[in-house]
């Protein structure tokens, strides 16, 4: 007999393929990360922190919340820092729901929403994205009941990269006033689309963001939640006082002193590399979903053969099936040089 709850024992762990990802041996285009290292001031700040004799102390967060608030364009009381945005997603779902409640998670989408919903014993409603229509707004609104406690808007969605317009998110928020509208803006710096300026109009919107994807800091784990101050205060009752490590705060605080230095990479990815890869895919007739993020979900005829060809050329991408179980390859977009190499390998493999 287990000492744990039956539904927890019945779950399976979320185990993304993390092992063997050697950044020297491979170009890593499989996790939507920044494909180059953090900028030099961040690296130096981390070294200085290690040498500064404070590792034996519990973390203290100083003015990091104020700095993030200024970056996000909200008040400091509207920000809570988290241990990556996965932590924020978990806290929001845990705080809003109890067993038997409903959560709407349009699919296919990022695995953590479903995983957190299953921890809590929630009933998951899963209308499907389409390549033509993107997020199923009408179906989501039609699926709202008095038991709906969370509606997920992954914006842009992973793996498909599609966006929901802010006005549509507001429409969903007004159609489900008793539910938390969890807007995941993990890729905000790429999409540049946000509802951070609509929080006062819709107090049930709760945004999660991260320093993992653009800033190059997934290893130290720092995310944040944006919402109205009452929601932030409630979530702070659940978050632990030391959940975020001091390395993360040191790194992000330094990054935020000169955001443009880190964000120059975004311009290269979105304005040069991405159009380059899209025009190659158009040229060779490989279908892909329209994406507002730093990745493209592609559907070549022989995904496994192409994945292998890329792997043999020391490039990792991520196989991902759609709702109809058709296998695609999600390709993270990196620097121009890396993108040229991807195109070269794909061109050879297709020949
Ligand atoms: C849509 C989405 N949300 C959240 C995350 C998790 O990010 P973090 O590293 O901040 O936990 C990911 C990571 O892949 C993601 O794709």
């Amino acid at each position: 007999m287990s000492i744990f709850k039956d539904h927890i024992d019945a779950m399976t762990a979320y185990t993304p393929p993390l092992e063997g990802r050697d950044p020297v041996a491979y170009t890593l285009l499989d996790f939507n990360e920044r494909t180059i290292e953090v900028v030099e001031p961040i690296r130096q700040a981390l070294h200085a922190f290690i040498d500064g004799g404070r590792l034996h102390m519990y973390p203290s967060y100083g003015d990091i919340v104020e700095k993030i608030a200024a970056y996000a364009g909200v008040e400091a009381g509207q920000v809570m820092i988290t241990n990556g945005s996965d932590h924020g997603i978990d806290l929001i779902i845990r705080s809003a729901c109890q067993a038997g409640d409903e959560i709407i998670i349009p699919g296919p989408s990022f695995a953590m929403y479903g995983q957190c919903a299953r921890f809590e014993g929630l009933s998951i409603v899963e209308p499907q994205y389409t390549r033509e229509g993107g997020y199923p707004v009408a179906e989501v609104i039609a699926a709202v009941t008095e038991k709906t406690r969370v509606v997920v808007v992954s914006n842009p969605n992973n793996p498909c990269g599609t966006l929901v317009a802010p006005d549509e998110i507001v429409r969903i928020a007004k159609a489900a006033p008793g539910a938390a509208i969890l807007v995941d803006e993990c890729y905000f710096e790429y999409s540049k689309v946000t509802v951070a300026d609509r929080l006062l109009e819709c107090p049930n919107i709760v945004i999660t963001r991260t320093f993992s994807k653009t800033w190059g800091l997934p290893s130290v784990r720092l995310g944040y939640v944006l919402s109205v101050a009452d929601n932030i205060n409630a979530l702070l009752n659940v978050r632990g006082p030391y959940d975020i490590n001091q390395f993360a705060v040191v790194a992000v605080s330094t990054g935020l002193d000169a955001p443009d230095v880190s964000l120059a990479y975004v311009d290269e990815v979105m304005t040069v590399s991405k159009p380059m890869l899209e025009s190659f895919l158009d040229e060779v007739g490989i279908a892909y979903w329209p994406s507002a993020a730093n990745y493209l979900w592609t559907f070549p005829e022989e995904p496994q053969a192409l994945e292998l060809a890329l792997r043999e050329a020391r490039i990792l991408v991520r196989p991902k099936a759609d709702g109809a179980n058709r296998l695609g390859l999600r390709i993270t977009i990196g620097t121009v040089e890396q993108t040229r190499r991807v195109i070269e390998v794909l061109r050879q493999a297709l020949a």
Side-chain angles (χ1 to χ4, degrees), residues 31 84-86 89 110 113 154 156 158 184 186-187 210 212-213 221:
F31 271 74
S85 47
D86 281 354
I89 292 165
F110 178 53
Y113 314 126
S154 184
N158 174 9
D184 183 343
C186 180
Y187 301 94
T210 186
S212 291
K213 302 295 183 180
R221 319 293 303 135

Side-chain angles (χ1 to χ4, degrees), residues 92-94 96-97 102-105 122 147-152 178-182:
I92 293 162
I93 293 176
R94 263 205 280 154
C97 305
E102 290 173 7
I103 180 167
I104 303 177
I105 310 176
L122 306 183
K147 293 185 98 185
T148 306
R149 302 294 302 142
V150 175
V151 178
V152 175
I181 312 302
L182 196 179

Side-chain angles (χ1 to χ4, degrees), residues 56-322:
H56 58 296
M57 292 171 59
Y58 278 97
S60 58
Y61 300 136
D63 64 353
I64 190 68
V65 164
E66 285 74 15
K67 278 182 144 176
I68 292 174
Y71 170 71
V74 299
E75 299 293 321
Q78 293 183 264
V79 178
M80 176 179 81
I81 54 171
T82 56
N83 193 310
S85 47
D86 281 354
H87 184 210
I89 292 165
D90 182 36
L91 289 177
I92 293 162
I93 293 176
R94 263 205 280 154
S95 303
C97 305
Q98 47 197 342
D101 285 342
E102 290 173 7
I103 180 167
I104 303 177
I105 310 176
S109 195
F110 178 53
M112 277 308 289
Y113 314 126
Q115 196 73 358
C116 296
R118 285 185 284 275
F119 305 149
E120 298 307 313
L122 306 183
S123 164
I124 302 177
V125 182
E126 202 178 354
Q128 293 295 298
Y129 280 83
T130 58
R131 204 176 126 201
E132 299 68 33
Y135 187 93
V137 178
E139 282 161 86
V140 165
I141 290 177
V144 172
T145 72
E146 72 284 355
K147 293 185 98 185
T148 306
R149 302 294 302 142
V150 175
V151 178
V152 175
V153 184
S154 184
N155 216 33
N157 184 38
N158 174 9
C160 57
T162 54
L163 262 187
V164 191
D167 283 346
E168 294 288 84
I169 298 177
V170 167
R171 190 153 76 90
I172 295 166
K174 291 190 172 161
I181 312 302
L182 196 179
V183 183
D184 183 343
E185 295 185 357
C186 180
Y187 301 94
F188 159 70
E189 283 83 359
Y190 297 101
S191 74
K192 299 187 167 58
V193 170
T194 183
V195 284
D197 56 344
R198 311 295 289 269
L199 293 173
L200 301 182
E201 181 187 348
C202 300
N204 56 333
I205 291 181
V206 191
I207 300 170
T208 53
R209 287 200 195 159
T210 186
F211 288 89
S212 291
K213 302 295 183 180
T214 323
W215 302 73
L217 293 165
S219 57
V220 295
R221 319 293 303 135
L222 191 90
Y224 56 102
V225 176
L226 304 175
S227 194
V228 290
D230 283 351
N231 294 342
I232 295 297
N233 290 337
L235 290 169
L236 282 168
N237 294 337
V238 187
R239 197 204 68 190
Y242 331 115
D243 282 357
I244 296 91
N245 76 73
Q246 194 79 49
F247 286 98
V249 173
V250 166
V252 166
S253 183
T254 306
L256 286 175
D257 285 339
D260 293 351
V261 179
S262 291
L263 299 180
Y265 170 78
V266 173
D267 287 343
E268 178 174 351
V269 170
M270 298 306 280
T271 63
V272 191
S273 302
K274 188 157 169 256
M276 194 193 283
L277 184 57
E278 285 168 340
S279 66
F280 166 74
L281 295 170
D282 292 340
E283 178 200 324
V284 296
I286 294 179
Y288 58 94
W289 286 54
S291 167
N294 62 329
Y295 48 87
L296 286 175
W297 197 20
T298 65
F299 287 85
E301 269 168 29
E302 297 191 55
Q304 277 147 328
L306 290 190
E307 199 247 340
L308 189 62
L310 287 164
R311 186 180 287 274
E312 282 170 355
R314 302 268 162 199
I315 298 168
L316 301 185
V317 298
R318 184 80 81 87
K320 288 260 171 200
D322 70 8

